[in-house]
Amino acid sequence: MDNIELVADLIKKSKFATAFTGAGISVESGIPPFTGSGGLWNKYDPKFIELSFFYANPKKSWEEMRKIFFNSMGLAKPNKAHKVLAKLEKLGILKAIITQNIDGLHQAAGSKEVVEFHGTINDLICVDCKTKYKTKDTDISKDIPRCSCGGILKPDFVFYGEGINKNNYNKADVLANKTDLVIIVGTAGQVMPACYLPFISKRSGAKIIEINTLESAFTNQITDYFFPVKATEFFTELEKFF
């Protein structure tokens, strides 16, 4: 694989390396992307995760979410890409991951410093009192899962029409400005405002390494080293140098 040894050396020498991941890293774990070929939104109308629809039709929204998110994502396991990123963190090389994914696979692989920019399916939040629950400890088989206060429980990820959690946004912004090397994995760079983060890093002087099966919005603008391969293929080769 061209430049893999060079890139491995850059990663080793970095002072504050980070990763920026999207749906593509989890495709090989059996989770389909939202857009593009085989994307969920080619098969389903995403209105069920519009905030206004959820409030007006919580039963229907939960019905679709159980089928599309929880039944599939809940069974997915981390793949080689997730595991090698976790290994790089354990070695003290990778300082944090900013992920657009809501599947929790980075943490399942062992990563500790993960900013879930769009939230997670692993937590639920009451729309009334804002109490949080762990999904695994909650019965979500009911038509409308409810809080002890009686309020409707909503998955703690960003719905359409809902803003990014300020704490997650601020953490990601700090990392984007601080990093000196970004490993982009499996994202087309089309979802705002997340897609701005690698551009912030580039302006701050970071090297950009990109792993995507297709060119993205980053490839011809800010990427220094582009690997047009599957994430597991790249990280299987990369691991040999660590």
Side-chain angles (χ1 to χ4, degrees):
M1 191 178 293
D2 291 346
N3 291 324
I4 188 73
E5 187 171 359
L6 172 62
V7 162
D9 191 54
L10 284 173
I11 294 170
K12 287 178 184 176
K13 290 178 178 176
S14 65
K15 303 297 184 186
F16 201 94
T18 60
F20 179 73
T21 68
I25 195 172
S26 294
V27 165
E28 292 177 84
S29 290
I31 299 175
F34 292 102
T35 59
S37 178
L40 284 170
W41 301 156
N42 292 335
K43 296 169 64 178
Y44 303 101
D45 185 342
K47 72 177 182 180
F48 69 93
I49 53 169
E50 290 175 2
L51 198 59
S52 58
F53 183 90
F54 175 78
Y55 282 126
N57 307 276
K59 181 179 177 180
K60 179 62 177 175
S61 184
W62 262 107
E63 181 182 308
E64 293 297 302
M65 287 190 292
R66 270 190 291 269
K67 177 174 64 179
I68 297 168
F69 294 132
F70 293 95
N71 292 347
S72 58
M73 288 187 186
L75 298 174
K77 303 295 182 185
N79 62 50
K80 189 69 169 182
H82 297 106
K83 292 174 182 177
V84 174
L85 286 174
K87 178 180 179 178
L88 292 178
E89 181 186 314
K90 191 173 183 179
L91 291 172
I93 297 168
L94 191 73
K95 304 304 182 186
I97 296 170
I98 302 170
T99 186
Q100 299 169 84
N101 299 338
I102 62 173
D103 53 43
L105 291 182
H106 284 299
Q107 293 93 326
S111 293
K112 305 297 183 187
E113 297 298 321
V114 183
V115 178
E116 295 175 304
F117 198 76
H118 294 138
T120 176
I121 65 166
N122 292 323
D123 293 331
L124 307 172
I125 187 168
C126 175
V127 299
D128 291 337
C129 72
K130 307 306 177 187
T131 297
K132 285 195 176 185
Y133 295 83
K134 287 294 178 186
T135 305
K136 63 182 178 64
D137 299 327
T138 308
D139 182 5
I140 61 169
S141 65
K142 298 174 182 177
D143 285 347
I144 304 175
R146 292 188 179 273
C147 174
S148 57
C149 79
I152 296 170
L153 293 180
K154 171 190 169 295
D156 197 18
F157 59 77
V158 179
F159 280 34
Y160 291 112
E162 186 175 18
I164 302 295
N165 176 280
K166 287 184 179 180
N167 188 44
N168 291 342
Y169 187 97
N170 291 337
K171 283 182 181 178
D173 185 63
V174 168
L175 289 170
N177 279 284
K178 189 175 183 180
T179 187
D180 63 349
L181 183 145
V182 183
I183 305 171
I184 296 175
V185 192
T187 174
Q190 296 176 341
V191 178
M192 297 185 291
C195 63
Y196 293 133
L197 294 168
F199 287 92
I200 292 171
S201 300
K202 185 66 174 181
R203 286 198 297 270
S204 298
K207 288 288 185 184
I208 308 294
I209 299 161
E210 181 185 354
I211 303 95
N212 266 319
T213 53
L214 299 173
E215 290 188 355
S216 72
F218 307 120
T219 311
N220 297 310
Q221 296 194 68
I222 61 171
T223 297
D224 295 295
Y225 298 95
F226 178 56
F227 295 87
V229 296
K230 291 181 178 179
T232 55
E233 182 180 341
F234 173 83
F235 283 100
T236 296
E237 289 302 308
L238 183 71
E239 187 180 25
K240 295 175 182 177
F241 298 94
F242 292 90

